[in-house]
Amino acid sequence: MSAADPAAPPVTGGERVPFLDRLGIPHPLRWGFLGVLIFMTGNGVESNFVSPHIAHALGGSDPTALAARVIACYSAAVLIGSYLAGALADLIGPRRVMAIGFGVWVVFEMAFLGSLQLENVWLVGISYFLRGFGFPLFAFAFLVWINHVVDKERNGAAVGWFYVMFTGGLPTLGSLVAFFMIPAFGGDYLGEKWTMLASTVIVLIGFLVARFGVHEEHGSRRLAPAGESPAGVILSGLRLTFTNGRIAMGFLTRLINTAPEFGMFIILPNVIYGTADQGGLGWSQSQWFIMTTVVYAGNILFNAAFGALGDKVGWVKTVRWFGIVGSAIGLLLWWYVPHMVPAGSDWGFVVSVAAGTVFGILLAGFVPLGAIMPAIAPKEKGAAMAMYTTAAGGATFLGSSVVAIVYPWGGNVGVVWAFVLLYACAFTMTFFLKVHQPRLHGPVLDD
């Protein structure tokens, strides 16, 4: 193929740009993206049944509220781990942080499953809390790695592809794996238990793919400036948040982003496949898994698309109108449509899945936030990404906390509208996220 061949890859500075780089996936990190997909699939296996599973194991006068508190503790660890993922990746290199995350996940998954067998509330809470450090250390350390390798003009697309893999595993493929595994292991509570145990093998495979498939040099070295102390690196994100108002607004917007996703994982299972006397709509657990798989498959398909759209029309505009306004509308559809169709009906289930898919697709409109945060503070990119990863993981904490706080007095409907109110707050904050966005045709001010 000659240099003049129109089918040849674009040439930049005398070098041809690999195909994956043109898509937004840094070619040297390609196996890491696959590793994240597989790891998050294992992590996501339990996402749609862990709340009722904990409630069944522990019992009590209000098992749903107890399960929500346990998951809120887990989510607090995810919040802390997400911050440490960014800070430690800068300090000791993303590869080491990913290995630590894998080790934490496996050890405390075993402890969590053992605690459920003992039916000890305290041991369940402590082990699940500690396991919460696992996935953010693994996944978000890799996101930091991406931001140090990708061309800035394609940053939105690269973050989009990361979330294709992240959401592809949690909850999409994870739910699909649970759909097949639980019946294969005998169904009901016992099938769920063995399915969670089997998910550890999937997590191991994901780690091995990323560990031995990626050899890019940034992964094994310190990324923070040479003269900065370890304490300075670890605290840099917090310092930046309190001194840079736009970083604070970006942090809060990302925190709100997927909070409803994790909140709905707690309240929707009992609604979708609960019995009528429990306030349920009469579909099956398998149908709930199918619903979740389809809803977030829509998210997967559009993550990269919205990342690329943000690169072209503006990161902030994409977040504001597609991410925030679109997700708020989609969330209301996902809640109200299942209650408007005949409970347990086949056609009603299809319509309900379609309504939920609107939420899944438009949730991808938040993807450009991963490019906005480092662009706000380009000289403190590591600190900015530490706060971004903190918010991304903290969405789990916010989502479960809203359920734990609002559910006892507002019920499920109150929880849904609390999330809509949070989206309204995020909409207002986007007007403070003015950023000079690098483009292939020169930077522009995106507001």
Side-chain angles (χ1 to χ4, degrees), residues 201-214:
V201 177
I202 303 173
V203 165
L204 171 63
I205 294 170
F207 168 72
L208 293 176
V209 169
R211 175 65 181 83
F212 295 104
V214 182

Side-chain angles (χ1 to χ4, degrees), residues 14 31 39 60-61 75 96 144 154 198 234 246 273 310 335 344 346 349 360-361 370 397 406 418 432 442:
W31 291 108
F39 187 102
S61 58
S75 303
R96 292 186 183 93
V144 172
R154 297 181 175 88
I234 292 174
R246 288 188 296 160
Y273 65 84
W335 174 256
D346 290 339
F349 177 73
I361 289 173
F397 176 70
V406 177
F432 297 91

